[in-house]
Each structure stands twice: as C-alpha cells, then as structure tokens.
Amino acid sequence: MQPLNITLVAGSIGAGKTTWIQQQVHTTAETVIYLSLDAGETAVDSTYLAAEVPGLTVLSAVQLANFLEHPTDGCVVYLELGFHIDLNSIILPDPMADCRRVAVLPPGTRHTEWHGWADVVVTGAEASITLRQPHLWRSALSGQVLDSASLNTFWYELTNGAYGTIQRAKGIFDVADGRSLYFDFVAGLPETTDMELNLPRWLNGRPDRFSGIEIVGEALGQTAIAQTLKDCCLDEQAIAYYQQQIKDLIEQGEEVA
Amino acid sequence: MKVAVMSCIHGNYEALNAVLSDIDDQSADKIYCLGDLVGYGPHPNAVVEMIRALDIPTCQGCWDEDIVEGLNSCECSYPSVLAEKRGKQAHEWTDQVIHPEVREFLAQLPLSLRDDNLCFVHGSPHNQHEYLMPEVDAFVALERVLVTGADILFCGHTHVPYVRSLDAGQLQIRVKSTGTTERDVSFSAPLKRIVNAGSVGEPRHGRPNATYVIYNTDADQITLREVEYDYQKTCAAIIDNGLPPIFAWRLARGLEFAERADDPTHVCER
Ligand SMILES: [Zn+2]
Ligand SMILES: [Zn+2]
C-alpha cells in the first residue's frame, strides 16, 4: 500500500486557504477528500467546495477516522485548519504523522508560528487589515429561506462596517427562488458578487441542506447581526408562495432567472 | 418671489433647523412642506411643533397618514421583508411617543396645496404612497401634472431631488371605448414640470446632507439646495431614544433608514 497523500493547510484569515485547495484539486486527476477540522455545524467551506468542485468528497471528522483505518488507494486528502487553531495543540493520528504541511500567508509575512510549522509556505492574498483581537462568529441557518433583497441589504451593511470591523465574511444562504447562494468578502479586496452554488433548486418547503455564515472581525455586534439575519428570513407562508411561483414557471417551460 | 419647498423631514429636528436657517439665508418669501413630518427619526413631536409654530402650509405625507390611520399598508410598499420589519419598528416607536395634539394636527393636513400655477403633493396627485421616480414614463408623468391643472407639480416621497421638464409637445393617446372602434386623439400640452424636493431628514443620495428646493417665480428658476447639518446629533438621538442603531448608521451614509419601493409607480389598492 502506498503512503497516504495528506496535506494539512493552515494560514491567516482571508489569505486564501480554500482557494488554494480548490486550485490543487483542479490540477490533480485523483479523487480528492476534503475536511475542515473545525467547521462543526457551520460548514461554509466544505459546502462550497462540495458544490463547486466535481470529484471532491467532503468528510466529517468521524468519517475521516474511518477512512484512515481503511484508506482507499489513489486518494489525496486536504485538511483545512482554521486560523484560530493552535498549531502546537494538534495531535495527528499515526497514519497522518508524515503528511505535508502547507501554510497560506499574505505576501511579506515573516517569522510567524506558521513558518516554523509548515513545510511549504504559499503566498496568498494581501491582507489589508490586521485585527488585534480577531473574533470568529458563526451561525448555522440551515432550514431558513432568506428574501434576496433583504439579504443584499444585510450583506452591504455587514461588509461596510455597520456591525463592527469585518476582516472576512463568508456565507451560504438559501433564497426564495430555491437557489443556494455563496457570499464571500475579504476586507481590502475588490467586492465580489454573490454566486449561485451548483446545487438543485430547493422548491419543497424548508431546505434540508447546510446554510450559514462565518464572520471574522472586531467589536462585532453579534446580537444585531443575528437579529438582522432573522429579519431577512421568510415565514412558512411566504416560502410556500415563492416556491409555488417558481414551480409554475418551470411547468410552463419558462427560463427561471 | 422665492418659494422654498421641502419634504420628508421624518422626525429629524437637526436637519429641519439647518434647512430653515438656509431658507432664511436665501431670503425665501414663502415656504411649503410636502409632508412626512414623522417616521424613523427621533424627534417627531418637535418637528411638528416647529412646522406648526411657523405656520408652514403642509400636505399630508404617507407616514403622517399611517400614524393617523394605523399601519395597514400592504407589504408591496416595502422592497424587502427586512425593510418592512424596520418600517414597522419605526412605526411602533413613533406611534408610542407621538402626542395626541400632534396626531390631530397630522390628521387634518390636506392632501394637496395650490398656489397659483403651482401644485404641492407628497407622492403624486393620486396618492401619498405613489412614487413619481425621475424615470417614470413621460406620459404617466405628464398625466400626473395635467390632472392638477398646474404648471409645476412639486412632490417628495422618493427622497431623491430632481427637476423634470415635460415638453412632450404633441401627445397621442389611444382611446378605446366599448362599442366603438379605437381612435387616436392628439393634443398638445404646454411645458410642464415636476420638481421633487428630495428629503430634509432622510436623504438617499449617499451623503447625510438635507436637500430642498427654491423656486424663483420671477426668473422661473429652480434651485436644488443641499444643506450640511450636525447629523451626528440625530444619530446619537436615534440610539439614545431606543430606535434601531442601524438607522443611525444608514442616516450617516445618506442611505435612508430602510429603503424605497422598487416598483416606481406601484400604488397599493387597499
Ligand atoms: Zn418620506
Ligand atoms: Zn412618503
């Protein structure tokens, strides 16, 4: 049996860990397995990669343990570590002991704990601000359907500082027309528009799939963020109404925008 | 003669004061107000008392009506569920703090005012809730002026100031009546104008500054005025009075408190 091809990916906020992994996946012909080590319930990155990268399998921590016991040949594994995970505290299972360690860091970064830890340092995106006390706030929204106009207003307010200084924000939201949208913001980088994930339209009640948000920032108004998100959500009746409209359009053979 | 026209103060007392002193500096002879004295902002009572004390002729705005009649606007008047929830919060807050005599004053405001060839309304001559956006179809726009019989129609409600000249000259309309065939009717209309006064207390032009207009009747000239004021005071009062802090954030950026409706000519048939 060949040794396992495992890469641990760490790095600072917004430097582009997920983007780097995505690029690697595009250049390999092998089956790719991905796991975010600290995602818990809010799996924005894994959901995004699973929807956008064909041939990529997302594993939970339990599934990974099973995989390590009975590995499949010809697999490459990427493990993403959150910026707030203490690198020295990670205890790796035996089969992973001699994996490759990659740190994705902004240009010009020197003498960080990542440098001591990594085998390879990859130059990622420029970081425009460095927070003194970065705080991570997450919320799972699975089952909620948001009104698009409200979501756009919320995202504009959030990324323009209405709820504290934001360094990084990403989210996956189910909207009224059944689509699942991916939003991504890095302070200092040009504003990106939201993108539709490659997932089927959900037109039968509350979506049974992941949606949620992750924010890294300082002085975050968590209560206000949570309240505003709640105020963007549609009630049962509205969800049914919009879903019916889309179904009718599809039935009439019309292109649904 | 100089006529100053302002609209949409929305309980922003600081902005009103700044506009009134600018009107004074411009030595305007008359002032008209197009309504929305209350709603969103922290000082609805003080704004109404000031307008009353100065005896400024005022027509009833959409918010003034809602405070009197109760909020029963359909959801279509809000562009999003978030804007609707924020609008309702603002309505409830205003409804609680407003003095009985202020409510009575708002109740008796007329829907339109006339001064010679000038007409003043809040939204449109048809309804306080109708938005006459600058890009509204020329025919619709002209109809709104013609129905008043005036030459210049002053309106507010959109919170974006503009002047629009309607020199359509020859207009053609197709009349379809039951039993007869369609026929084309042409008529020519002299130059008409729609002037939107913008908003004193809740601008949406990307800056917090108040806007209003001055019409010089002798020179037949319309001037849009943009007035700076201490908006931080209003922002602080919003927070101190328990209104949602996001209102202060949006006001400081000239984004309005909530948002306007998307469909510019939609009128709710309630
Ligand atoms: Zn208004
Ligand atoms: Zn109005």
Side-chain angles (χ1 to χ4, degrees), chain A residues 147 149-150 153-154 156-157 160-163 228 230-234, chain B residues 75 79-83 85-86 89 246 249-250 253 255 257 259 262:
Chain A
D147 161 62
S150 303
T153 300
F154 163 73
Y156 177 87
E157 290 172 352
N160 282 276
Y163 308 103
T228 308
K230 199 172 153 220
D231 289 345
C232 294
C233 292
L234 295 171
Chain B
E75 64 209 45
S80 69
V81 296
L82 180 61
K85 285 189 180 127
R86 288 175 175 174
Q89 268 180 295
I246 193 71
W249 187 84
R250 296 186 66 93
R253 281 154 189 82
L255 292 171
F257 296 118
E259 276 166 291
D262 269 348

PDB file of all heavy atoms in Angstrom, chain A residues 147 149-150 153-154 156-157 160-163 228 230-234, chain B residues 75 79-83 85-86 89 246 249-250 253 255 257 259 262:
ATOM      1  N   ASP A 147     -35.048  36.344   2.060  1.00  0.00           N
ATOM      2  CA  ASP A 147     -35.523  37.201   0.994  1.00  0.00           C
ATOM      3  C   ASP A 147     -34.282  37.866   0.364  1.00  0.00           C
ATOM      4  O   ASP A 147     -33.466  38.447   1.073  1.00  0.00           O
ATOM      5  CB  ASP A 147     -36.469  38.220   1.625  1.00  0.00           C
ATOM      6  CG  ASP A 147     -36.695  39.426   0.776  1.00  0.00           C
ATOM      7  OD1 ASP A 147     -37.206  39.263  -0.320  1.00  0.00           O
ATOM      8  OD2 ASP A 147     -36.350  40.543   1.222  1.00  0.00           O
ATOM      9  N   ALA A 149     -33.622  40.534  -1.523  1.00  0.00           N
ATOM     10  CA  ALA A 149     -33.395  41.968  -1.363  1.00  0.00           C
ATOM     11  C   ALA A 149     -32.906  42.266   0.057  1.00  0.00           C
ATOM     12  O   ALA A 149     -31.992  43.064   0.260  1.00  0.00           O
ATOM     13  CB  ALA A 149     -34.675  42.740  -1.656  1.00  0.00           C
ATOM     14  N   SER A 150     -33.505  41.583   1.033  1.00  0.00           N
ATOM     15  CA  SER A 150     -33.090  41.781   2.418  1.00  0.00           C
ATOM     16  C   SER A 150     -31.658  41.305   2.630  1.00  0.00           C
ATOM     17  O   SER A 150     -30.858  41.957   3.299  1.00  0.00           O
ATOM     18  CB  SER A 150     -34.007  41.006   3.365  1.00  0.00           C
ATOM     19  OG  SER A 150     -35.340  41.389   3.188  1.00  0.00           O
ATOM     20  N   THR A 153     -29.195  43.783   1.331  1.00  0.00           N
ATOM     21  CA  THR A 153     -29.073  44.919   2.254  1.00  0.00           C
ATOM     22  C   THR A 153     -28.213  44.534   3.446  1.00  0.00           C
ATOM     23  O   THR A 153     -27.296  45.254   3.830  1.00  0.00           O
ATOM     24  CB  THR A 153     -30.465  45.358   2.758  1.00  0.00           C
ATOM     25  OG1 THR A 153     -31.247  45.748   1.642  1.00  0.00           O
ATOM     26  CG2 THR A 153     -30.355  46.520   3.729  1.00  0.00           C
ATOM     27  N   PHE A 154     -28.487  43.363   4.025  1.00  0.00           N
ATOM     28  CA  PHE A 154     -27.715  42.899   5.176  1.00  0.00           C
ATOM     29  C   PHE A 154     -26.243  42.763   4.822  1.00  0.00           C
ATOM     30  O   PHE A 154     -25.364  43.207   5.556  1.00  0.00           O
ATOM     31  CB  PHE A 154     -28.253  41.552   5.677  1.00  0.00           C
ATOM     32  CG  PHE A 154     -27.286  40.828   6.569  1.00  0.00           C
ATOM     33  CD1 PHE A 154     -27.055  41.282   7.861  1.00  0.00           C
ATOM     34  CD2 PHE A 154     -26.580  39.722   6.105  1.00  0.00           C
ATOM     35  CE1 PHE A 154     -26.134  40.628   8.681  1.00  0.00           C
ATOM     36  CE2 PHE A 154     -25.659  39.077   6.920  1.00  0.00           C
ATOM     37  CZ  PHE A 154     -25.430  39.528   8.209  1.00  0.00           C
ATOM     38  N   TYR A 156     -24.530  44.171   2.451  1.00  0.00           N
ATOM     39  CA  TYR A 156     -23.938  45.507   2.238  1.00  0.00           C
ATOM     40  C   TYR A 156     -23.609  46.151   3.586  1.00  0.00           C
ATOM     41  O   TYR A 156     -22.502  46.654   3.792  1.00  0.00           O
ATOM     42  CB  TYR A 156     -24.910  46.401   1.451  1.00  0.00           C
ATOM     43  CG  TYR A 156     -24.386  47.799   1.277  1.00  0.00           C
ATOM     44  CD1 TYR A 156     -23.550  48.127   0.212  1.00  0.00           C
ATOM     45  CD2 TYR A 156     -24.690  48.802   2.212  1.00  0.00           C
ATOM     46  CE1 TYR A 156     -23.037  49.400   0.068  1.00  0.00           C
ATOM     47  CE2 TYR A 156     -24.176  50.082   2.072  1.00  0.00           C
ATOM     48  CZ  TYR A 156     -23.355  50.378   0.996  1.00  0.00           C
ATOM     49  OH  TYR A 156     -22.838  51.641   0.874  1.00  0.00           O
ATOM     50  N   GLU A 157     -24.568  46.118   4.495  1.00  0.00           N
ATOM     51  CA  GLU A 157     -24.351  46.724   5.809  1.00  0.00           C
ATOM     52  C   GLU A 157     -23.206  46.032   6.541  1.00  0.00           C
ATOM     53  O   GLU A 157     -22.317  46.680   7.100  1.00  0.00           O
ATOM     54  CB  GLU A 157     -25.639  46.640   6.651  1.00  0.00           C
ATOM     55  CG  GLU A 157     -26.742  47.542   6.135  1.00  0.00           C
ATOM     56  CD  GLU A 157     -28.090  47.334   6.836  1.00  0.00           C
ATOM     57  OE1 GLU A 157     -28.212  46.374   7.639  1.00  0.00           O
ATOM     58  OE2 GLU A 157     -29.013  48.113   6.564  1.00  0.00           O
ATOM     59  N   ASN A 160     -19.780  46.729   5.078  1.00  0.00           N
ATOM     60  CA  ASN A 160     -19.401  48.132   5.144  1.00  0.00           C
ATOM     61  C   ASN A 160     -19.307  48.635   6.577  1.00  0.00           C
ATOM     62  O   ASN A 160     -19.300  49.841   6.820  1.00  0.00           O
ATOM     63  CB  ASN A 160     -20.349  49.001   4.319  1.00  0.00           C
ATOM     64  CG  ASN A 160     -20.043  48.902   2.833  1.00  0.00           C
ATOM     65  OD1 ASN A 160     -19.176  49.586   2.316  1.00  0.00           O
ATOM     66  ND2 ASN A 160     -20.734  47.998   2.152  1.00  0.00           N
ATOM     67  N   GLY A 161     -19.276  47.715   7.516  1.00  0.00           N
ATOM     68  CA  GLY A 161     -18.944  48.088   8.892  1.00  0.00           C
ATOM     69  C   GLY A 161     -20.088  48.460   9.806  1.00  0.00           C
ATOM     70  O   GLY A 161     -19.868  49.036  10.869  1.00  0.00           O
ATOM     71  N   ALA A 162     -21.329  48.149   9.407  1.00  0.00           N
ATOM     72  CA  ALA A 162     -22.454  48.530  10.264  1.00  0.00           C
ATOM     73  C   ALA A 162     -22.496  47.730  11.561  1.00  0.00           C
ATOM     74  O   ALA A 162     -23.079  48.170  12.547  1.00  0.00           O
ATOM     75  CB  ALA A 162     -23.773  48.343   9.509  1.00  0.00           C
ATOM     76  N   TYR A 163     -21.878  46.558  11.576  1.00  0.00           N
ATOM     77  CA  TYR A 163     -21.945  45.692  12.761  1.00  0.00           C
ATOM     78  C   TYR A 163     -20.549  45.371  13.295  1.00  0.00           C
ATOM     79  O   TYR A 163     -20.310  44.286  13.796  1.00  0.00           O
ATOM     80  CB  TYR A 163     -22.688  44.392  12.425  1.00  0.00           C
ATOM     81  CG  TYR A 163     -24.032  44.597  11.773  1.00  0.00           C
ATOM     82  CD1 TYR A 163     -24.200  44.419  10.404  1.00  0.00           C
ATOM     83  CD2 TYR A 163     -25.138  44.997  12.529  1.00  0.00           C
ATOM     84  CE1 TYR A 163     -25.435  44.618   9.806  1.00  0.00           C
ATOM     85  CE2 TYR A 163     -26.369  45.192  11.940  1.00  0.00           C
ATOM     86  CZ  TYR A 163     -26.515  45.002  10.572  1.00  0.00           C
ATOM     87  OH  TYR A 163     -27.727  45.193   9.982  1.00  0.00           O
ATOM     88  N   THR A 228     -30.756  40.897  12.583  1.00  0.00           N
ATOM     89  CA  THR A 228     -30.958  41.320  11.194  1.00  0.00           C
ATOM     90  C   THR A 228     -31.138  40.097  10.293  1.00  0.00           C
ATOM     91  O   THR A 228     -32.020  40.077   9.435  1.00  0.00           O
ATOM     92  CB  THR A 228     -29.780  42.174  10.703  1.00  0.00           C
ATOM     93  OG1 THR A 228     -29.573  43.229  11.649  1.00  0.00           O
ATOM     94  CG2 THR A 228     -30.063  42.785   9.344  1.00  0.00           C
ATOM     95  N   LYS A 230     -32.299  37.276  11.154  1.00  0.00           N
ATOM     96  CA  LYS A 230     -33.631  36.739  11.444  1.00  0.00           C
ATOM     97  C   LYS A 230     -34.697  37.547  10.689  1.00  0.00           C
ATOM     98  O   LYS A 230     -35.652  36.985  10.149  1.00  0.00           O
ATOM     99  CB  LYS A 230     -33.858  36.826  12.956  1.00  0.00           C
ATOM    100  CG  LYS A 230     -34.948  35.924  13.458  1.00  0.00           C
ATOM    101  CD  LYS A 230     -34.988  35.918  14.986  1.00  0.00           C
ATOM    102  CE  LYS A 230     -36.398  35.596  15.425  1.00  0.00           C
ATOM    103  NZ  LYS A 230     -36.811  36.398  16.589  1.00  0.00           N
ATOM    104  N   ASP A 231     -34.488  38.872  10.648  1.00  0.00           N
ATOM    105  CA  ASP A 231     -35.446  39.744   9.964  1.00  0.00           C
ATOM    106  C   ASP A 231     -35.406  39.586   8.446  1.00  0.00           C
ATOM    107  O   ASP A 231     -36.258  40.119   7.749  1.00  0.00           O
ATOM    108  CB  ASP A 231     -35.188  41.211  10.328  1.00  0.00           C
ATOM    109  CG  ASP A 231     -35.586  41.516  11.770  1.00  0.00           C
ATOM    110  OD1 ASP A 231     -36.302  40.689  12.376  1.00  0.00           O
ATOM    111  OD2 ASP A 231     -35.180  42.572  12.295  1.00  0.00           O
ATOM    112  N   CYS A 232     -34.397  38.918   7.927  1.00  0.00           N
ATOM    113  CA  CYS A 232     -34.306  38.669   6.483  1.00  0.00           C
ATOM    114  C   CYS A 232     -35.023  37.377   6.092  1.00  0.00           C
ATOM    115  O   CYS A 232     -35.185  37.081   4.907  1.00  0.00           O
ATOM    116  CB  CYS A 232     -32.844  38.532   6.039  1.00  0.00           C
ATOM    117  SG  CYS A 232     -31.883  40.030   6.188  1.00  0.00           S
ATOM    118  N   CYS A 233     -35.402  36.573   7.090  1.00  0.00           N
ATOM    119  CA  CYS A 233     -35.956  35.248   6.804  1.00  0.00           C
ATOM    120  C   CYS A 233     -37.441  35.307   6.474  1.00  0.00           C
ATOM    121  O   CYS A 233     -38.181  36.115   7.026  1.00  0.00           O
ATOM    122  CB  CYS A 233     -35.747  34.326   8.005  1.00  0.00           C
ATOM    123  SG  CYS A 233     -34.015  33.941   8.277  1.00  0.00           S
ATOM    124  N   LEU A 234     -37.843  34.439   5.573  1.00  0.00           N
ATOM    125  CA  LEU A 234     -39.251  34.370   5.169  1.00  0.00           C
ATOM    126  C   LEU A 234     -40.005  33.402   6.072  1.00  0.00           C
ATOM    127  O   LEU A 234     -39.432  32.430   6.575  1.00  0.00           O
ATOM    128  CB  LEU A 234     -39.343  33.875   3.729  1.00  0.00           C
ATOM    129  CG  LEU A 234     -38.734  34.805   2.679  1.00  0.00           C
ATOM    130  CD1 LEU A 234     -38.684  34.101   1.326  1.00  0.00           C
ATOM    131  CD2 LEU A 234     -39.532  36.096   2.560  1.00  0.00           C
TER     132      LEU A 234
ATOM    133  N   GLU B  75     -47.789  44.800   2.037  1.00  0.00           N
ATOM    134  CA  GLU B  75     -46.361  44.543   2.048  1.00  0.00           C
ATOM    135  C   GLU B  75     -45.683  45.008   0.762  1.00  0.00           C
ATOM    136  O   GLU B  75     -44.483  45.181   0.705  1.00  0.00           O
ATOM    137  CB  GLU B  75     -46.091  43.060   2.284  1.00  0.00           C
ATOM    138  CG  GLU B  75     -46.595  42.177   1.179  1.00  0.00           C
ATOM    139  CD  GLU B  75     -46.967  40.788   1.689  1.00  0.00           C
ATOM    140  OE1 GLU B  75     -47.626  40.681   2.742  1.00  0.00           O
ATOM    141  OE2 GLU B  75     -46.563  39.837   1.043  1.00  0.00           O
ATOM    142  N   PRO B  79     -39.777  47.180  -0.122  1.00  0.00           N
ATOM    143  CA  PRO B  79     -38.994  46.435  -1.107  1.00  0.00           C
ATOM    144  C   PRO B  79     -38.466  45.104  -0.596  1.00  0.00           C
ATOM    145  O   PRO B  79     -38.055  44.259  -1.367  1.00  0.00           O
ATOM    146  CB  PRO B  79     -37.837  47.381  -1.415  1.00  0.00           C
ATOM    147  CG  PRO B  79     -37.674  48.187  -0.176  1.00  0.00           C
ATOM    148  CD  PRO B  79     -39.043  48.328   0.415  1.00  0.00           C
ATOM    149  N   SER B  80     -38.470  44.917   0.714  1.00  0.00           N
ATOM    150  CA  SER B  80     -37.934  43.661   1.248  1.00  0.00           C
ATOM    151  C   SER B  80     -38.551  43.399   2.608  1.00  0.00           C
ATOM    152  O   SER B  80     -39.085  44.304   3.245  1.00  0.00           O
ATOM    153  CB  SER B  80     -36.412  43.753   1.388  1.00  0.00           C
ATOM    154  OG  SER B  80     -36.064  44.667   2.415  1.00  0.00           O
ATOM    155  N   VAL B  81     -38.464  42.159   3.073  1.00  0.00           N
ATOM    156  CA  VAL B  81     -39.036  41.844   4.386  1.00  0.00           C
ATOM    157  C   VAL B  81     -38.243  42.554   5.484  1.00  0.00           C
ATOM    158  O   VAL B  81     -38.800  42.936   6.514  1.00  0.00           O
ATOM    159  CB  VAL B  81     -39.092  40.325   4.662  1.00  0.00           C
ATOM    160  CG1 VAL B  81     -40.010  39.622   3.694  1.00  0.00           C
ATOM    161  CG2 VAL B  81     -37.727  39.686   4.657  1.00  0.00           C
ATOM    162  N   LEU B  82     -36.959  42.770   5.235  1.00  0.00           N
ATOM    163  CA  LEU B  82     -36.142  43.482   6.219  1.00  0.00           C
ATOM    164  C   LEU B  82     -36.590  44.941   6.341  1.00  0.00           C
ATOM    165  O   LEU B  82     -36.778  45.463   7.446  1.00  0.00           O
ATOM    166  CB  LEU B  82     -34.664  43.411   5.813  1.00  0.00           C
ATOM    167  CG  LEU B  82     -33.661  44.102   6.737  1.00  0.00           C
ATOM    168  CD1 LEU B  82     -33.692  43.499   8.130  1.00  0.00           C
ATOM    169  CD2 LEU B  82     -32.251  44.023   6.158  1.00  0.00           C
ATOM    170  N   ALA B  83     -36.795  45.594   5.194  1.00  0.00           N
ATOM    171  CA  ALA B  83     -37.257  46.981   5.195  1.00  0.00           C
ATOM    172  C   ALA B  83     -38.624  47.081   5.859  1.00  0.00           C
ATOM    173  O   ALA B  83     -38.919  48.038   6.576  1.00  0.00           O
ATOM    174  CB  ALA B  83     -37.310  47.523   3.774  1.00  0.00           C
ATOM    175  N   LYS B  85     -39.839  45.070   8.240  1.00  0.00           N
ATOM    176  CA  LYS B  85     -39.711  44.924   9.682  1.00  0.00           C
ATOM    177  C   LYS B  85     -39.170  46.198  10.312  1.00  0.00           C
ATOM    178  O   LYS B  85     -39.614  46.613  11.368  1.00  0.00           O
ATOM    179  CB  LYS B  85     -38.834  43.723  10.011  1.00  0.00           C
ATOM    180  CG  LYS B  85     -39.610  42.438   9.773  1.00  0.00           C
ATOM    181  CD  LYS B  85     -38.927  41.198  10.269  1.00  0.00           C
ATOM    182  CE  LYS B  85     -39.807  39.980   9.972  1.00  0.00           C
ATOM    183  NZ  LYS B  85     -39.082  38.923   9.252  1.00  0.00           N
ATOM    184  N   ARG B  86     -38.213  46.813   9.637  1.00  0.00           N
ATOM    185  CA  ARG B  86     -37.660  48.066  10.160  1.00  0.00           C
ATOM    186  C   ARG B  86     -38.694  49.175  10.113  1.00  0.00           C
ATOM    187  O   ARG B  86     -38.790  49.982  11.035  1.00  0.00           O
ATOM    188  CB  ARG B  86     -36.421  48.452   9.355  1.00  0.00           C
ATOM    189  CG  ARG B  86     -35.249  47.551   9.668  1.00  0.00           C
ATOM    190  CD  ARG B  86     -34.070  47.854   8.781  1.00  0.00           C
ATOM    191  NE  ARG B  86     -32.917  47.057   9.174  1.00  0.00           N
ATOM    192  CZ  ARG B  86     -31.779  47.017   8.504  1.00  0.00           C
ATOM    193  NH1 ARG B  86     -31.651  47.730   7.388  1.00  0.00           N
ATOM    194  NH2 ARG B  86     -30.775  46.291   8.926  1.00  0.00           N
ATOM    195  N   GLN B  89     -41.016  48.699  12.979  1.00  0.00           N
ATOM    196  CA  GLN B  89     -40.385  49.108  14.242  1.00  0.00           C
ATOM    197  C   GLN B  89     -40.468  50.624  14.395  1.00  0.00           C
ATOM    198  O   GLN B  89     -40.789  51.140  15.454  1.00  0.00           O
ATOM    199  CB  GLN B  89     -38.906  48.713  14.233  1.00  0.00           C
ATOM    200  CG  GLN B  89     -38.612  47.358  14.822  1.00  0.00           C
ATOM    201  CD  GLN B  89     -37.124  47.086  14.756  1.00  0.00           C
ATOM    202  OE1 GLN B  89     -36.562  46.966  13.670  1.00  0.00           O
ATOM    203  NE2 GLN B  89     -36.476  47.003  15.906  1.00  0.00           N
ATOM    204  N   ILE B 246     -29.102  50.704  13.587  1.00  0.00           N
ATOM    205  CA  ILE B 246     -28.805  50.657  12.151  1.00  0.00           C
ATOM    206  C   ILE B 246     -29.376  51.892  11.442  1.00  0.00           C
ATOM    207  O   ILE B 246     -28.841  52.340  10.428  1.00  0.00           O
ATOM    208  CB  ILE B 246     -29.337  49.343  11.509  1.00  0.00           C
ATOM    209  CG1 ILE B 246     -28.781  49.111  10.101  1.00  0.00           C
ATOM    210  CG2 ILE B 246     -30.848  49.283  11.472  1.00  0.00           C
ATOM    211  CD1 ILE B 246     -27.332  48.752  10.055  1.00  0.00           C
ATOM    212  N   TRP B 249     -26.650  54.422  11.533  1.00  0.00           N
ATOM    213  CA  TRP B 249     -25.577  54.056  10.595  1.00  0.00           C
ATOM    214  C   TRP B 249     -25.973  54.429   9.165  1.00  0.00           C
ATOM    215  O   TRP B 249     -25.193  54.989   8.409  1.00  0.00           O
ATOM    216  CB  TRP B 249     -25.313  52.550  10.703  1.00  0.00           C
ATOM    217  CG  TRP B 249     -24.124  52.094   9.918  1.00  0.00           C
ATOM    218  CD1 TRP B 249     -22.815  52.129  10.316  1.00  0.00           C
ATOM    219  CD2 TRP B 249     -24.131  51.558   8.584  1.00  0.00           C
ATOM    220  NE1 TRP B 249     -22.013  51.635   9.319  1.00  0.00           N
ATOM    221  CE2 TRP B 249     -22.782  51.270   8.246  1.00  0.00           C
ATOM    222  CE3 TRP B 249     -25.137  51.288   7.655  1.00  0.00           C
ATOM    223  CZ2 TRP B 249     -22.424  50.725   7.014  1.00  0.00           C
ATOM    224  CZ3 TRP B 249     -24.782  50.749   6.439  1.00  0.00           C
ATOM    225  CH2 TRP B 249     -23.436  50.481   6.120  1.00  0.00           C
ATOM    226  N   ARG B 250     -27.208  54.144   8.815  1.00  0.00           N
ATOM    227  CA  ARG B 250     -27.670  54.418   7.452  1.00  0.00           C
ATOM    228  C   ARG B 250     -27.832  55.919   7.203  1.00  0.00           C
ATOM    229  O   ARG B 250     -27.483  56.416   6.139  1.00  0.00           O
ATOM    230  CB  ARG B 250     -28.986  53.678   7.170  1.00  0.00           C
ATOM    231  CG  ARG B 250     -28.844  52.151   7.216  1.00  0.00           C
ATOM    232  CD  ARG B 250     -30.121  51.449   6.785  1.00  0.00           C
ATOM    233  NE  ARG B 250     -30.414  51.701   5.388  1.00  0.00           N
ATOM    234  CZ  ARG B 250     -30.031  50.901   4.390  1.00  0.00           C
ATOM    235  NH1 ARG B 250     -29.376  49.806   4.642  1.00  0.00           N
ATOM    236  NH2 ARG B 250     -30.319  51.198   3.147  1.00  0.00           N
ATOM    237  N   ARG B 253     -24.752  57.756   6.272  1.00  0.00           N
ATOM    238  CA  ARG B 253     -24.242  57.455   4.941  1.00  0.00           C
ATOM    239  C   ARG B 253     -25.200  57.861   3.820  1.00  0.00           C
ATOM    240  O   ARG B 253     -24.981  57.518   2.658  1.00  0.00           O
ATOM    241  CB  ARG B 253     -23.955  55.953   4.834  1.00  0.00           C
ATOM    242  CG  ARG B 253     -22.647  55.623   5.497  1.00  0.00           C
ATOM    243  CD  ARG B 253     -22.583  54.197   5.992  1.00  0.00           C
ATOM    244  NE  ARG B 253     -21.381  54.031   6.789  1.00  0.00           N
ATOM    245  CZ  ARG B 253     -21.291  54.379   8.068  1.00  0.00           C
ATOM    246  NH1 ARG B 253     -22.320  54.907   8.697  1.00  0.00           N
ATOM    247  NH2 ARG B 253     -20.159  54.232   8.731  1.00  0.00           N
ATOM    248  N   LEU B 255     -28.216  56.811   3.237  1.00  0.00           N
ATOM    249  CA  LEU B 255     -28.794  55.589   2.654  1.00  0.00           C
ATOM    250  C   LEU B 255     -30.269  55.408   2.972  1.00  0.00           C
ATOM    251  O   LEU B 255     -30.835  54.367   2.664  1.00  0.00           O
ATOM    252  CB  LEU B 255     -28.058  54.360   3.206  1.00  0.00           C
ATOM    253  CG  LEU B 255     -26.622  54.148   2.806  1.00  0.00           C
ATOM    254  CD1 LEU B 255     -26.007  53.027   3.622  1.00  0.00           C
ATOM    255  CD2 LEU B 255     -26.541  53.798   1.328  1.00  0.00           C
ATOM    256  N   PHE B 257     -33.327  55.240   6.044  1.00  0.00           N
ATOM    257  CA  PHE B 257     -33.412  54.356   7.202  1.00  0.00           C
ATOM    258  C   PHE B 257     -33.736  52.933   6.783  1.00  0.00           C
ATOM    259  O   PHE B 257     -33.171  51.981   7.264  1.00  0.00           O
ATOM    260  CB  PHE B 257     -34.458  54.873   8.181  1.00  0.00           C
ATOM    261  CG  PHE B 257     -34.094  56.208   8.753  1.00  0.00           C
ATOM    262  CD1 PHE B 257     -34.885  57.313   8.538  1.00  0.00           C
ATOM    263  CD2 PHE B 257     -32.932  56.365   9.495  1.00  0.00           C
ATOM    264  CE1 PHE B 257     -34.542  58.547   9.061  1.00  0.00           C
ATOM    265  CE2 PHE B 257     -32.581  57.590  10.024  1.00  0.00           C
ATOM    266  CZ  PHE B 257     -33.394  58.692   9.803  1.00  0.00           C
ATOM    267  N   GLU B 259     -35.616  51.432   3.031  1.00  0.00           N
ATOM    268  CA  GLU B 259     -35.363  51.519   1.601  1.00  0.00           C
ATOM    269  C   GLU B 259     -36.656  51.921   0.912  1.00  0.00           C
ATOM    270  O   GLU B 259     -37.720  51.704   1.425  1.00  0.00           O
ATOM    271  CB  GLU B 259     -34.947  50.166   1.040  1.00  0.00           C
ATOM    272  CG  GLU B 259     -33.499  49.868   1.187  1.00  0.00           C
ATOM    273  CD  GLU B 259     -33.267  48.403   0.914  1.00  0.00           C
ATOM    274  OE1 GLU B 259     -33.700  47.592   1.737  1.00  0.00           O
ATOM    275  OE2 GLU B 259     -32.700  48.097  -0.117  1.00  0.00           O
ATOM    276  N   ASP B 262     -39.301  49.311  -4.930  1.00  0.00           N
ATOM    277  CA  ASP B 262     -38.642  49.144  -6.220  1.00  0.00           C
ATOM    278  C   ASP B 262     -39.511  49.541  -7.401  1.00  0.00           C
ATOM    279  O   ASP B 262     -39.054  50.104  -8.358  1.00  0.00           O
ATOM    280  CB  ASP B 262     -38.242  47.669  -6.402  1.00  0.00           C
ATOM    281  CG  ASP B 262     -36.848  47.435  -5.873  1.00  0.00           C
ATOM    282  OD1 ASP B 262     -36.164  48.437  -5.603  1.00  0.00           O
ATOM    283  OD2 ASP B 262     -36.467  46.276  -5.719  1.00  0.00           O
TER     284      ASP B 262
END
